[in-house]
Amino acid sequence: MRTNNRRTIRLLAVLALCTVGAGAAAGCGNAEADNGDAEARSTEPALQLGARARQVADAWDGSKAAEAWHEGYYPMEAVVQLPENGLRSEADRRAYEAGNFDLRGKLPSAPHKSGRVMWKSGSPLTTPLMEAEKAYKTLDRDSSPGPRLTVTGARLGEMTVVTTRGPATVPAWLFTLEGYASPLKRAAVSPSKLPAPPIKPLRQEAVPTDVLAPLGGLTEVAEDSRSITVVATHGSCDDGPTVEVLEASGSVVLSASVAGSKDGNCSGEMRGEKVSVKLDRPVGKRMVLDAFTGRPVPYSEWPRTSQSWS
């Protein structure tokens, strides 16, 4: 994660961030003058974080990528909804989390090739319809010993999914589970393809995590939209992750870093931790962007590492 040569890594980090673009010029001119002064070093990460976050916000503002983003379908919650009242036992919950399913019978074919994603406002989106068998395979991910859930059939219906454009009604496969009166629902459409970002990501090997680190995903947007919860990573020789926010008119840019990094022999294992970030105003339809990657932060079903889109 880090080495004992603090000065070298700090200098590489500053140089890497300075070459991202002209917007990072502030505070970069005297990178070689780092004399190891602790107070000067303590302000360096904050200066660089702000410069990079502003670059990301400016790059997306008014871009073709932002226009395509606002027209797409990007779920911000799980695309699987459990039967009403949830799963009935701990064994069933373990089976679901592990992806242990059995199929008894034959699944139907999709009645047509495409489906429509509908919002209360704005144009609907026509997108390819996922076959029931493919949707089932996203559930049945494992074949390990242990409890299992049995699917006895499926029919095409609908479900409501929270997206970056607000709640949407989407086609869904309604799977009948043995022993349950209501179905397990799985969205029958895939997220839109992410547009090419208008700014390049930073090189992870050139930037230490106490300056800037990539986020692991977004797990929750508060009901009032005034705070968001993300997964930030940290290692074995630090005090945990921190996340700073830059709010712009069209985006919310999050800058993650690691606090209290220590020199020494540290394992390379990275750990995820949820961090809640308060906003000055509701996130609304603004994009939530990662300052490190320069990309929208995907929804993640933490502690599972799978992301709904990327």
Side-chain angles (χ1 to χ4, degrees), residues 57-245:
D58 290 347
W60 278 90
D61 186 29
S63 67
K64 291 184 178 179
E67 182 179 346
W69 167 263
H70 287 299
E71 295 177 353
Y73 162 61
Y74 301 100
M76 295 301 286
E77 67 174 352
V79 294
V80 178
Q81 294 178 2
L82 299 176
E84 293 179 14
N85 302 319
L87 298 173
R88 62 187 179 185
S89 68
E90 180 60 31
D92 284 359
R93 284 188 287 273
R94 291 202 311 271
Y96 173 73
E97 291 295 335
N100 269 342
F101 282 75
D102 280 331
L103 176 61
R104 183 181 302 164
K106 187 176 181 181
L107 296 174
S109 299
H112 32 265
K113 293 184 178 181
S114 61
R116 300 183 81 192
V117 180
M118 305 284 292
W119 290 269
K120 288 185 177 180
S121 61
S123 302
L125 178 69
T126 300
T127 187
L129 195 63
M130 184 184 299
E131 290 286 349
E133 183 176 354
K134 182 178 179 179
Y136 171 78
K137 287 180 178 179
T138 66
L139 302 172
D140 184 24
R141 306 181 309 277
D142 200 355
S143 58
S144 61
R148 311 183 73 81
L149 287 166
T150 300
V151 171
T152 59
R155 62 182 177 86
L156 190 63
E158 294 180 339
M159 64 187 286
T160 300
V161 176
V162 175
T163 76
T164 54
R165 295 170 56 181
T169 301
V170 305
W173 286 108
L174 279 52
F175 291 99
T176 304
L177 293 182
E178 187 176 69
Y180 288 85
S182 59
L184 179 150
K185 301 178 181 180
R186 204 292 181 191
V189 290
S190 298
S192 301
K193 181 180 178 181
L194 186 70
I199 186 170
K200 293 182 178 180
L202 298 177
R203 293 186 300 111
Q204 193 160 2
E205 66 274 12
V207 184
T209 56
D210 63 350
V211 174
L212 195 60
L215 286 162
L218 189 154
T219 64
E220 183 182 2
V221 177
E223 189 173 346
D224 63 0
S225 197
R226 294 294 293 267
S227 69
I228 53 182
T229 302
V230 294
V231 175
T233 57
H234 67 105
S236 59
C237 291
D238 56 60
D239 296 330
T242 63
V243 179
E244 301 293 331
V245 59

Side-chain angles (χ1 to χ4, degrees), residues 298-309:
Y299 171 77
S300 177
E301 294 182 53
W302 187 257
R304 288 172 56 190
T305 58
S306 60
Q307 297 175 341
S308 58
W309 45 267

